Amino acid sequence: MRNVRIAAAQLGPIQKADRRQAVVARMLDLMEQAAALKVGLIVYPELALTTFFPRWYHEDVGDADIWFEREMPNAATAPLFARAKQHGMAMSFGYAELTPDGHRFNASILVDKAGGIAGKYRKVHLPGHAELDEARAFQHLEKRYFEPGDLGFPVFRMHGGIYGMCICNDRRWPETWRVLGLQGVEMVVLGFNTPSVNSQKSGEGPETRIFHHKLSLQAGAYQNSTWVVAVAKAGVEDGHPLFGASCIVDPDGRIVAESATEADELIVHDCDLDATRFGKETIFDFKRHRRVEHYGRITGQVGVEVPE
Ligand code: ING
């Protein structure tokens, strides 16, 4: 039994005008709630420090740098690192990273109980578009503001477990999960900011989109026998709705905890990392069952190649 008490710390909306300090104060409130429950790891959403700014078009990409962090930790996030260390709590959160040599990534980090950065991930699958698209009901300009991640899908040994990260759209791609699964991942933590409606397909509302969200998490968890902690930034940001449905999913693919609101909300669950063993040693014992000689298209092709 290797139990980890996990908190998914969902954040409600962050308005364009909200300052990072106000957001960090909300994150600290959730951390205090988690500490009272003796949580070992707290997980916050994607781009946790700011509004989901890729919905806003900046003609000069440099004007969007106001949404980015140039170092981590920094003045705004130092209180998070200090308080987590004080509580002996590990944490993960997403943020927009601007590197010293001018590269921009949608990033997330894993911070251990001693306050050290144990791992970093940069979002590989960037949805949306790079140029202003007037045909859309709203913009989704992640391809404008971020480069695809250049760190792959690493896993990290931390506090007796094997942890991995992904971010939002990554959860829709089975490759994300399998690359982590092939490294023995026991818990995948991820944040997401997902619009409640489809900017290109009127009529597709939160019911369908939450179904696809859960389907992706449950399949990833089951098919790689891993825990999954998925944490939303939710609610209406400057008129744009994001759904909640933060979930903790067990290695059998069952949702064992789910948020009930679109506000700041903590959901907590005791996760036994040893519960991943049975799946990894039987039905998803990759070395006994996989036939890689037939999988070449998965890395040999990018798009579809239909027969003559
Ligand atoms: N958001 C959305 C996500 O993948 C999206 C974008 C929604 C793509 C629905 C496809 C369908 O959850 C982010 N931030 O990736």
Side-chain angles (χ1 to χ4, degrees):
M1 172 86 161
R2 282 178 295 143
N3 191 66
V4 185
R5 180 162 294 175
I6 296 291
Q10 175 178 292
L11 286 175
I14 300 176
Q15 308 309 328
K16 203 175 177 183
D18 290 345
R19 293 166 42 81
R20 285 173 177 75
Q21 288 71 8
V23 176
V24 168
R26 290 165 52 187
M27 295 169 77
L28 289 170
D29 284 349
L30 289 164
M31 190 182 288
E32 286 309 304
Q33 293 174 42
L37 295 168
K38 301 192 182 337
V39 160
L41 169 62
I42 187 167
V43 183
Y44 295 105
E46 171 191 26
L47 297 175
L49 304 173
T50 67
T51 194
F52 185 71
F53 67 87
R55 70 168 68 89
W56 303 114
Y57 177 71
H58 292 275
E59 187 170 356
D60 174 352
V61 169
D63 291 347
D65 286 354
I66 54 171
W67 305 114
F68 285 74
E69 314 304 323
R70 286 163 173 73
E71 62 269 333
M72 188 56 67
N74 57 24
T77 57
L80 275 174
F81 282 75
R83 187 77 63 81
K85 181 178 180 180
Q86 179 192 332
H87 287 312
M89 188 184 301
M91 73 173 166
S92 179
F93 64 87
Y95 63 96
E97 176 191 17
L98 174 56
T99 67
D101 53 348
H103 295 282
R104 296 176 174 84
F105 298 104
N106 187 339
S108 65
I109 50 173
L110 200 53
V111 182
D112 65 28
K113 293 179 178 179
I117 294 181
K120 176 187 271 190
Y121 172 69
R122 290 167 171 164
K123 186 175 183 178
V124 167
H125 299 99
L126 298 172
H129 46 108
E131 299 306 325
L132 186 63
D133 180 351
E134 311 274 14
R136 288 171 180 250
F138 51 88
Q139 304 301 299
H140 195 117
L141 292 156
E142 291 196 61
K143 292 184 193 292
R144 184 176 187 80
Y145 300 125
F146 302 123
E147 296 169 49
D150 59 353
L151 302 175
F153 298 101
V155 299
F156 310 96
R157 286 192 181 279
M158 185 179 75
H159 305 315
I162 299 177
Y163 293 83
M165 288 178 276
C166 69
I167 299 176
C168 204
N169 195 256
D170 287 322
R171 73 191 185 288
R172 301 179 190 278
W173 301 92
E175 295 88 343
T176 302
W177 300 100
R178 187 44 48 87
V179 171
L180 290 169
L182 284 165
Q183 300 172 81
V185 75
E186 296 173 322
M187 180 171 284
V188 180
V189 300
L190 66 110
F192 62 95
N193 290 219
T194 304
S196 302
V197 294
N198 188 319
S199 65
Q200 297 175 292
K201 185 179 177 187
S202 65
E204 186 185 273
E207 184 191 16
T208 299
R209 293 164 75 80
I210 290 174
F211 167 68
H212 289 153
H213 154 70
K214 290 179 175 179
L215 183 65
S216 302
L217 300 179
Q218 291 179 270
Y222 166 64
Q223 292 169 349
N224 296 280
S225 193
T226 179
W227 287 93
V228 175
V229 183
V231 188
K233 168 108 82 47
V236 181
E237 295 191 332
D238 299 285
H240 296 273
L242 302 169
F243 65 67
S246 297
C247 293
I248 298 175
V249 186
D250 77 10
D252 274 331
R254 290 191 181 83
I255 296 173
V256 294
E258 181 177 352
S259 63
T261 72
E262 291 190 341
D264 293 7
E265 179 181 349
L266 203 74
I267 55 173
V268 176
H269 189 79
D270 284 341
C271 303
D272 175 9
L273 298 182
D274 285 339
T276 65
R277 302 285 358 123
F278 182 76
K280 291 182 190 293
E281 291 165 6
T282 56
I283 186 169
F284 294 113
D285 178 350
F286 293 159
K287 71 183 178 306
R288 277 202 307 128
H289 299 304
R290 294 182 71 242
R291 304 301 316 174
V292 293
E293 64 270 25
H294 299 299
Y295 303 163
R297 289 183 187 274
I298 291 178
T299 57
Q301 277 179 227
V302 179
V304 171
E305 294 173 12
V306 296
E308 294 301 319

